[in-house]
Amino acid sequence: MKKLIPYQVGENDVVVAYNPQQALEVLIEYCAYEADDYQDFDVEDISHKLDSMLRDEEGADIETLREWVARTREPEYLYGWE
């Protein structure tokens, strides 16, 4: 069985996917990017941050990245920030 992995794509977005290429494709589709918009994006496996606490806009704890990833069943966009 394949395992979904959290990836940070570019500077501001996190997606879950099965591999780095798919992570980039998820972001491209979600954000409706053109080819020039994403060509320099880095894709980083952030599995080492699974126990990081996610916070809302006011800074209140929501849940860990691990908890969020555990609920996903297919590749998808999770969250981003500016």
Side-chain angles (χ1 to χ4, degrees):
M1 183 173 189
K2 292 181 182 180
K3 180 179 175 184
L4 287 167
I5 299 167
Y7 292 96
Q8 182 172 334
V9 183
E11 295 181 20
N12 303 317
D13 297 289
V14 175
V15 303
V16 289
Y18 294 114
N19 58 57
Q21 180 60 39
Q22 186 178 49
L24 185 58
E25 291 168 3
V26 167
L27 182 67
I28 291 166
E29 182 177 331
Y30 181 83
C31 296
Y33 282 135
E34 299 294 326
D36 292 343
D37 295 334
Y38 65 84
Q39 64 185 355
D40 295 327
F41 282 4
D42 290 326
V43 179
E44 176 188 0
D45 178 341
I46 57 170
S47 295
H48 63 282
K49 296 181 178 182
L50 284 172
D51 294 319
S52 297
M53 183 60 65
L54 303 176
R55 294 180 172 80
D56 65 17
E57 292 173 0
E58 287 78 38
D61 291 349
I62 301 173
E63 65 185 343
T64 65
L65 179 58
R66 180 183 308 279
E67 291 168 322
W68 201 341
V69 170
R71 286 196 314 273
T72 61
R73 300 290 176 246
E74 61 186 36
E76 66 181 69
Y77 182 90
L78 290 185
Y79 64 93
W81 60 94
E82 289 188 45

PDB file of all heavy atoms in Angstrom, residues 7-11 13 24 27 38-44:
ATOM      1  N   TYR A   7       4.271  17.209   1.835  1.00  0.00           N
ATOM      2  CA  TYR A   7       5.329  17.951   1.144  1.00  0.00           C
ATOM      3  C   TYR A   7       5.052  19.436   1.255  1.00  0.00           C
ATOM      4  O   TYR A   7       3.904  19.876   1.120  1.00  0.00           O
ATOM      5  CB  TYR A   7       5.367  17.604  -0.350  1.00  0.00           C
ATOM      6  CG  TYR A   7       5.811  16.207  -0.663  1.00  0.00           C
ATOM      7  CD1 TYR A   7       4.882  15.200  -0.873  1.00  0.00           C
ATOM      8  CD2 TYR A   7       7.161  15.902  -0.759  1.00  0.00           C
ATOM      9  CE1 TYR A   7       5.289  13.912  -1.176  1.00  0.00           C
ATOM     10  CE2 TYR A   7       7.578  14.609  -1.060  1.00  0.00           C
ATOM     11  CZ  TYR A   7       6.635  13.618  -1.263  1.00  0.00           C
ATOM     12  OH  TYR A   7       7.036  12.349  -1.565  1.00  0.00           O
ATOM     13  N   GLN A   8       6.112  20.195   1.474  1.00  0.00           N
ATOM     14  CA  GLN A   8       6.012  21.635   1.310  1.00  0.00           C
ATOM     15  C   GLN A   8       6.428  21.922  -0.114  1.00  0.00           C
ATOM     16  O   GLN A   8       7.507  21.510  -0.556  1.00  0.00           O
ATOM     17  CB  GLN A   8       6.913  22.388   2.285  1.00  0.00           C
ATOM     18  CG  GLN A   8       6.764  23.886   2.129  1.00  0.00           C
ATOM     19  CD  GLN A   8       7.490  24.668   3.199  1.00  0.00           C
ATOM     20  OE1 GLN A   8       7.705  24.185   4.304  1.00  0.00           O
ATOM     21  NE2 GLN A   8       7.878  25.876   2.869  1.00  0.00           N
ATOM     22  N   VAL A   9       5.569  22.612  -0.836  1.00  0.00           N
ATOM     23  CA  VAL A   9       5.833  22.921  -2.235  1.00  0.00           C
ATOM     24  C   VAL A   9       5.979  24.431  -2.355  1.00  0.00           C
ATOM     25  O   VAL A   9       5.077  25.179  -1.983  1.00  0.00           O
ATOM     26  CB  VAL A   9       4.704  22.415  -3.150  1.00  0.00           C
ATOM     27  CG1 VAL A   9       5.048  22.678  -4.611  1.00  0.00           C
ATOM     28  CG2 VAL A   9       4.454  20.928  -2.929  1.00  0.00           C
ATOM     29  N   GLY A  10       7.133  24.868  -2.838  1.00  0.00           N
ATOM     30  CA  GLY A  10       7.407  26.294  -2.856  1.00  0.00           C
ATOM     31  C   GLY A  10       7.596  26.778  -1.429  1.00  0.00           C
ATOM     32  O   GLY A  10       7.942  26.009  -0.530  1.00  0.00           O
ATOM     33  N   GLU A  11       7.346  28.036  -1.202  1.00  0.00           N
ATOM     34  CA  GLU A  11       7.575  28.615   0.121  1.00  0.00           C
ATOM     35  C   GLU A  11       6.363  28.556   1.030  1.00  0.00           C
ATOM     36  O   GLU A  11       6.504  28.669   2.248  1.00  0.00           O
ATOM     37  CB  GLU A  11       8.020  30.072  -0.033  1.00  0.00           C
ATOM     38  CG  GLU A  11       9.357  30.226  -0.713  1.00  0.00           C
ATOM     39  CD  GLU A  11       9.769  31.673  -0.831  1.00  0.00           C
ATOM     40  OE1 GLU A  11       9.231  32.512  -0.086  1.00  0.00           O
ATOM     41  OE2 GLU A  11      10.623  31.962  -1.674  1.00  0.00           O
ATOM     42  N   ASP A  13       3.087  26.459   0.689  1.00  0.00           N
ATOM     43  CA  ASP A  13       1.987  25.507   0.556  1.00  0.00           C
ATOM     44  C   ASP A  13       2.397  24.104   0.978  1.00  0.00           C
ATOM     45  O   ASP A  13       3.528  23.673   0.747  1.00  0.00           O
ATOM     46  CB  ASP A  13       1.505  25.468  -0.901  1.00  0.00           C
ATOM     47  CG  ASP A  13       0.951  26.806  -1.327  1.00  0.00           C
ATOM     48  OD1 ASP A  13      -0.134  27.170  -0.852  1.00  0.00           O
ATOM     49  OD2 ASP A  13       1.622  27.499  -2.116  1.00  0.00           O
ATOM     50  N   LEU A  24       3.777  18.362  -6.641  1.00  0.00           N
ATOM     51  CA  LEU A  24       3.799  19.548  -7.500  1.00  0.00           C
ATOM     52  C   LEU A  24       2.535  19.610  -8.372  1.00  0.00           C
ATOM     53  O   LEU A  24       1.919  20.664  -8.513  1.00  0.00           O
ATOM     54  CB  LEU A  24       5.056  19.528  -8.364  1.00  0.00           C
ATOM     55  CG  LEU A  24       5.317  20.748  -9.234  1.00  0.00           C
ATOM     56  CD1 LEU A  24       5.399  22.022  -8.400  1.00  0.00           C
ATOM     57  CD2 LEU A  24       6.604  20.555 -10.029  1.00  0.00           C
ATOM     58  N   LEU A  27      -0.471  20.857  -6.371  1.00  0.00           N
ATOM     59  CA  LEU A  27      -0.448  22.306  -6.172  1.00  0.00           C
ATOM     60  C   LEU A  27      -0.799  23.048  -7.452  1.00  0.00           C
ATOM     61  O   LEU A  27      -1.574  24.012  -7.434  1.00  0.00           O
ATOM     62  CB  LEU A  27       0.905  22.776  -5.652  1.00  0.00           C
ATOM     63  CG  LEU A  27       0.974  24.278  -5.367  1.00  0.00           C
ATOM     64  CD1 LEU A  27       0.059  24.650  -4.199  1.00  0.00           C
ATOM     65  CD2 LEU A  27       2.393  24.714  -5.088  1.00  0.00           C
ATOM     66  N   TYR A  38       5.437  27.878 -11.589  1.00  0.00           N
ATOM     67  CA  TYR A  38       5.909  26.863 -10.656  1.00  0.00           C
ATOM     68  C   TYR A  38       7.250  26.229 -11.021  1.00  0.00           C
ATOM     69  O   TYR A  38       7.743  25.372 -10.301  1.00  0.00           O
ATOM     70  CB  TYR A  38       4.856  25.755 -10.508  1.00  0.00           C
ATOM     71  CG  TYR A  38       4.615  24.975 -11.763  1.00  0.00           C
ATOM     72  CD1 TYR A  38       5.425  23.899 -12.110  1.00  0.00           C
ATOM     73  CD2 TYR A  38       3.579  25.311 -12.620  1.00  0.00           C
ATOM     74  CE1 TYR A  38       5.206  23.185 -13.275  1.00  0.00           C
ATOM     75  CE2 TYR A  38       3.356  24.606 -13.776  1.00  0.00           C
ATOM     76  CZ  TYR A  38       4.165  23.540 -14.095  1.00  0.00           C
ATOM     77  OH  TYR A  38       3.953  22.839 -15.242  1.00  0.00           O
ATOM     78  N   GLN A  39       7.870  26.659 -12.075  1.00  0.00           N
ATOM     79  CA  GLN A  39       9.078  25.983 -12.547  1.00  0.00           C
ATOM     80  C   GLN A  39      10.221  25.984 -11.539  1.00  0.00           C
ATOM     81  O   GLN A  39      11.046  25.074 -11.540  1.00  0.00           O
ATOM     82  CB  GLN A  39       9.533  26.557 -13.874  1.00  0.00           C
ATOM     83  CG  GLN A  39       9.963  28.005 -13.818  1.00  0.00           C
ATOM     84  CD  GLN A  39      10.288  28.535 -15.199  1.00  0.00           C
ATOM     85  OE1 GLN A  39      10.271  27.804 -16.175  1.00  0.00           O
ATOM     86  NE2 GLN A  39      10.590  29.814 -15.267  1.00  0.00           N
ATOM     87  N   ASP A  40      10.277  26.957 -10.637  1.00  0.00           N
ATOM     88  CA  ASP A  40      11.371  27.019  -9.669  1.00  0.00           C
ATOM     89  C   ASP A  40      10.975  26.544  -8.272  1.00  0.00           C
ATOM     90  O   ASP A  40      11.736  26.706  -7.323  1.00  0.00           O
ATOM     91  CB  ASP A  40      11.906  28.457  -9.576  1.00  0.00           C
ATOM     92  CG  ASP A  40      12.552  28.910 -10.875  1.00  0.00           C
ATOM     93  OD1 ASP A  40      13.141  28.058 -11.573  1.00  0.00           O
ATOM     94  OD2 ASP A  40      12.457  30.107 -11.199  1.00  0.00           O
ATOM     95  N   PHE A  41       9.791  25.966  -8.117  1.00  0.00           N
ATOM     96  CA  PHE A  41       9.348  25.523  -6.802  1.00  0.00           C
ATOM     97  C   PHE A  41      10.162  24.328  -6.316  1.00  0.00           C
ATOM     98  O   PHE A  41      10.366  23.358  -7.045  1.00  0.00           O
ATOM     99  CB  PHE A  41       7.879  25.105  -6.832  1.00  0.00           C
ATOM    100  CG  PHE A  41       6.904  26.246  -6.832  1.00  0.00           C
ATOM    101  CD1 PHE A  41       7.306  27.563  -6.896  1.00  0.00           C
ATOM    102  CD2 PHE A  41       5.555  25.988  -6.775  1.00  0.00           C
ATOM    103  CE1 PHE A  41       6.388  28.610  -6.898  1.00  0.00           C
ATOM    104  CE2 PHE A  41       4.623  27.014  -6.774  1.00  0.00           C
ATOM    105  CZ  PHE A  41       5.046  28.320  -6.833  1.00  0.00           C
ATOM    106  N   ASP A  42      10.592  24.391  -5.070  1.00  0.00           N
ATOM    107  CA  ASP A  42      11.203  23.239  -4.424  1.00  0.00           C
ATOM    108  C   ASP A  42      10.084  22.392  -3.835  1.00  0.00           C
ATOM    109  O   ASP A  42       9.051  22.911  -3.416  1.00  0.00           O
ATOM    110  CB  ASP A  42      12.131  23.682  -3.285  1.00  0.00           C
ATOM    111  CG  ASP A  42      13.381  24.372  -3.794  1.00  0.00           C
ATOM    112  OD1 ASP A  42      13.868  23.987  -4.875  1.00  0.00           O
ATOM    113  OD2 ASP A  42      13.860  25.284  -3.116  1.00  0.00           O
ATOM    114  N   VAL A  43      10.299  21.093  -3.787  1.00  0.00           N
ATOM    115  CA  VAL A  43       9.352  20.171  -3.169  1.00  0.00           C
ATOM    116  C   VAL A  43      10.115  19.431  -2.084  1.00  0.00           C
ATOM    117  O   VAL A  43      11.065  18.706  -2.367  1.00  0.00           O
ATOM    118  CB  VAL A  43       8.774  19.182  -4.205  1.00  0.00           C
ATOM    119  CG1 VAL A  43       7.812  18.225  -3.539  1.00  0.00           C
ATOM    120  CG2 VAL A  43       8.100  19.932  -5.346  1.00  0.00           C
ATOM    121  N   GLU A  44       9.706  19.651  -0.816  1.00  0.00           N
ATOM    122  CA  GLU A  44      10.424  19.080   0.320  1.00  0.00           C
ATOM    123  C   GLU A  44       9.516  18.154   1.119  1.00  0.00           C
ATOM    124  O   GLU A  44       8.416  18.541   1.530  1.00  0.00           O
ATOM    125  CB  GLU A  44      10.909  20.206   1.234  1.00  0.00           C
ATOM    126  CG  GLU A  44      11.589  19.711   2.481  1.00  0.00           C
ATOM    127  CD  GLU A  44      11.894  20.816   3.479  1.00  0.00           C
ATOM    128  OE1 GLU A  44      11.582  21.989   3.227  1.00  0.00           O
ATOM    129  OE2 GLU A  44      12.437  20.481   4.536  1.00  0.00           O
TER     130      GLU A  44
END
